[in-house]
Amino acid sequence: MTSILEIEDLVLSYGAAAAVRGLTLHIAPGEVVTLIGANGAGKSTTLKGIVGLVKPTSGGIRFEGRSIVGKRTDWLARNGLALVPEGRRVFAGLTVVENLDVASAASGLRGSDLKAAIAEVLEIFPRLGERRDSLAWTLSGGEQQMLAMGRAIISKPRLLLLDEPSLGLSPKLAIEVVHLISRYSREHGLSVLLVEQNARLALASSDRGYVLETGRIVAEGPASTLGDEPEVRKAYLGS
């Protein structure tokens, strides 16, 4: 199957220190893939490398068959690749609907198309619909995460990068947030690269997984069986 994202021998560095070392992975259309690992393993750096926030030292990144190394982040957003960064970063002083309105500007949505796109996001995340006129700073952590994801998917990306969506959420809310995006992926054919420290939740919501340690892939496979490997269970699943 043709991959929507292909990364080959990627090296990402901060100064002289390599944070990602020879990383190779791929994502098929409509597939949810998780990248798990401890703090400092290079997970978030990998996402930053994909969207151009960290310039690759070497290696290749191809999105839908063409190289995106050197492409601007706004160009990527307009061409089907969206990132939900760690920490949500919603506009605290704007309402839920205003946050979605601002996010849609880059995609060129206007008029009835914009209204329809906002309505769809509010349907996917019913809590946001209930609080559509509330300022973002008044939302709970889970609601802010839903808003961050809603802003990312309003322009109908083909690949969504999620950086630690469960961070700071209660276990119940973390499950709800991650499962919502997993369901959306299945229903709409959206490809997802999920970066998560909660390995159990990530594997339960994904098709395949990669384990990253000190910037290198040390294990990979179907999510349903990757968690059965003794090293993965011992390091990430508390067994």
Side-chain angles (χ1 to χ4, degrees):
M1 182 182 292
T2 302
S3 297
I4 191 168
L5 180 72
E6 298 172 276
I7 301 177
E8 185 173 2
D9 292 329
L10 184 66
V11 177
L12 299 168
S13 303
Y14 295 107
V20 171
R21 311 158 186 263
L23 183 145
T24 295
L25 63 78
H26 71 276
I27 302 174
E31 188 177 37
V32 179
V33 174
T34 187
L35 187 60
I36 61 176
N39 276 335
K43 306 185 304 297
S44 293
T45 299
T46 298
L47 297 189
K48 291 176 182 176
I50 294 171
V51 299
L53 296 177
V54 177
K55 184 178 180 180
T57 303
S58 61
I61 307 171
R62 300 182 70 82
F63 175 56
E64 296 184 325
R66 57 180 170 178
S67 174
I68 57 172
V69 174
K71 296 291 187 184
R72 289 166 51 97
T73 302
D74 58 342
W75 183 93
L76 295 173
R78 291 195 303 272
N79 285 273
L81 198 159
L83 168 68
V84 180
E86 180 182 337
R88 300 151 200 162
R89 301 181 191 176
V90 298
F91 296 110
L94 300 182
T95 68
V96 167
V97 169
E98 287 169 344
N99 264 272
L100 296 174
D101 197 351
V102 169
S104 67
S107 65
L109 290 173
R110 297 289 186 274
S112 59
D113 290 337
L114 173 58
K115 290 181 179 179
I118 290 177
E120 182 178 5
V121 169
L122 298 181
E123 182 178 349
I124 295 165
F125 301 106
R127 290 191 187 204
L128 298 184
E130 295 168 3
R131 306 208 59 189
R132 57 179 295 140
D133 296 319
S134 299
L135 296 177
W137 71 267
T138 69
L139 305 181
S140 69
E143 290 165 346
Q144 288 186 11
Q145 186 63 63
M146 292 175 193
L147 180 54
M149 293 193 296
R151 292 193 317 174
I153 65 175
I154 196 168
S155 59
K156 300 289 194 304
R158 296 178 294 283
L159 174 62
L160 178 65
L161 310 179
L162 279 173
D163 194 0
E164 303 284 6
S166 75
L167 189 66
L169 304 184
S170 68
K172 182 179 179 180
L173 270 178
I175 291 170
E176 181 180 355
V177 164
V178 174
H179 283 186
L180 275 171
I181 207 66
S182 179
R183 186 182 71 188
Y184 181 85
S185 168
R186 292 194 304 272
E187 293 175 352
H188 296 268
L190 173 68
S191 302
V192 178
L193 178 56
L194 169 64
V195 160
E196 254 301 333
Q197 284 194 67
N198 186 334
R200 194 179 301 275
L201 173 60
L203 291 171
S205 307
S206 303
D207 300 304
R208 288 189 304 110
Y210 293 87
V211 179
L212 193 61
E213 288 185 5
T214 60
R216 299 183 186 277
I217 299 293
V218 296
E220 63 181 277
S224 58
T225 58
L226 186 60
D228 295 331
E229 296 190 15
E231 296 84 356
V232 175
R233 293 188 64 83
K234 181 178 179 181
Y236 303 104
L237 301 180
S239 302

